[in-house]
Amino acid sequence: QVQLVESGGGVVQPGRSLRLSCATSGFTFSNYGMHWVRQAPGKGLEWVALIWYDGSNENYADSVKGRFTISRDNSKNTVYLQMNRLRAEDTAVYYCSRGLHYYGGYVNDYWGRGTQVIVSS
Amino acid sequence: ELVLTQSPGTLSLSPGERATLSCRASQSVSSIYLAWYQQKPGQAPRLLIYGASTRATGIPDRFSGSESGTDFTLTISRLEPEDFAVYYCQQFGSSRQTFGQGTKLEV
């Protein structure tokens, strides 16, 4: 069955960096886009980034562009989120989700359980 | 930037009743790129509907989606106890996805 498992979250000081990983199994990883979506405490969902199935294109939310980088390793079935210059407002649960290609878009059809990131001094 | 506005913010109903949740787009959105998700406390979101009306794998047929112009609707025909949760609409067609703010469906 499809599984996505995030790791790498934790407590970090403002201005520092953190790298999240999402290990996947149960499907052909290289056939799917991959997303990161976050949820601040008590708030709604905020899309963060998308990487295409072959890594040829990346898209970012304005709130993280220039600070976060999404990447993937199709040989390890893993997607990453490098987060630099972290801010208090980046505090959230970070979910990775599989992007099913659908008429040119990537809908988030399976989700991991998330990893908590807390940015605090 | 495209904004999705969901209404109502909270919907109070009982098991067995019909639920109607709305999502309005600030500009034109192709129904192909409209999805609905369910999220229960402490859990990840779950895809319910995409393409405005296509049910995702394993989603029961009491869930249905429809659209009329820039207005989209998620209908749950007869509420089961496990349906009480927060529901989000989403557009995924542009280079940046956006989510609505959510509707909480409570007993």
Side-chain angles (χ1 to χ4, degrees), chain A residues 35 39 47 60 103 106 108 112, chain B residues 33 39 44 90 95-97:
Chain A
H35 297 274
Q39 187 168 35
W47 173 79
Y60 297 92
Y103 289 95
Y106 285 96
N108 313 49
Chain B
Y33 302 121
Q39 187 179 33
Q90 176 212 42
S95 60
R96 296 174 177 80
Q97 297 185 342

Side-chain angles (χ1 to χ4, degrees), chain A residues 4 10 19-20 25 39 47 51 62 74:
Chain A
L4 301 92
R19 188 197 199 202
L20 306 183
S25 60
Q39 187 168 35
W47 173 79
I51 187 166
D62 288 343
N74 285 355

Side-chain angles (χ1 to χ4, degrees), chain A residues 35 37 39 43-47 59-62 65 95 100 102-113, chain B residues 1 32-33 35 37 39 43-47 49-51 54 57 88 90 92-93 95-101:
Chain A
H35 297 274
V37 177
Q39 187 168 35
K43 302 297 185 183
L45 301 171
E46 180 188 15
W47 173 79
N59 299 118
Y60 297 92
D62 288 343
K65 195 168 186 177
Y95 296 101
L100 172 67
Y102 186 73
Y103 289 95
Y106 285 96
V107 66
N108 313 49
D109 66 342
Y110 285 91
W111 297 64
R113 294 190 173 188
Chain B
E1 178 186 327
I32 291 173
Y33 302 121
Y37 299 83
Q39 187 179 33
Q43 295 186 18
R46 178 174 71 147
L47 176 66
I49 301 280
Y50 61 99
T54 301
T57 303
Y88 296 93
Q90 176 212 42
F92 60 92
S95 60
R96 296 174 177 80
Q97 297 185 342
T98 49
F99 289 91
Q101 82 280 17

Side-chain angles (χ1 to χ4, degrees), chain A residues 17-83:
Chain A
S17 299
L18 206 59
R19 188 197 199 202
L20 306 183
S21 300
C22 174
T24 73
S25 60
F27 64 99
T28 303
F29 182 72
S30 58
N31 286 352
Y32 292 87
M34 294 297 297
H35 297 274
W36 287 96
V37 177
R38 68 186 181 183
Q39 187 168 35
K43 302 297 185 183
L45 301 171
E46 180 188 15
W47 173 79
V48 173
L50 160 70
I51 187 166
W52 287 20
Y53 68 101
D54 59 357
S56 63
N57 202 3
E58 304 155 26
N59 299 118
Y60 297 92
D62 288 343
S63 58
V64 307
K65 195 168 186 177
R67 299 188 299 124
F68 290 12
T69 302
I70 188 171
S71 61
R72 65 190 295 156
D73 186 337
N74 285 355
S75 68
K76 295 182 178 179
N77 297 335
T78 300
V79 62
Y80 305 96
L81 186 67
Q82 177 68 42
M83 304 186 294

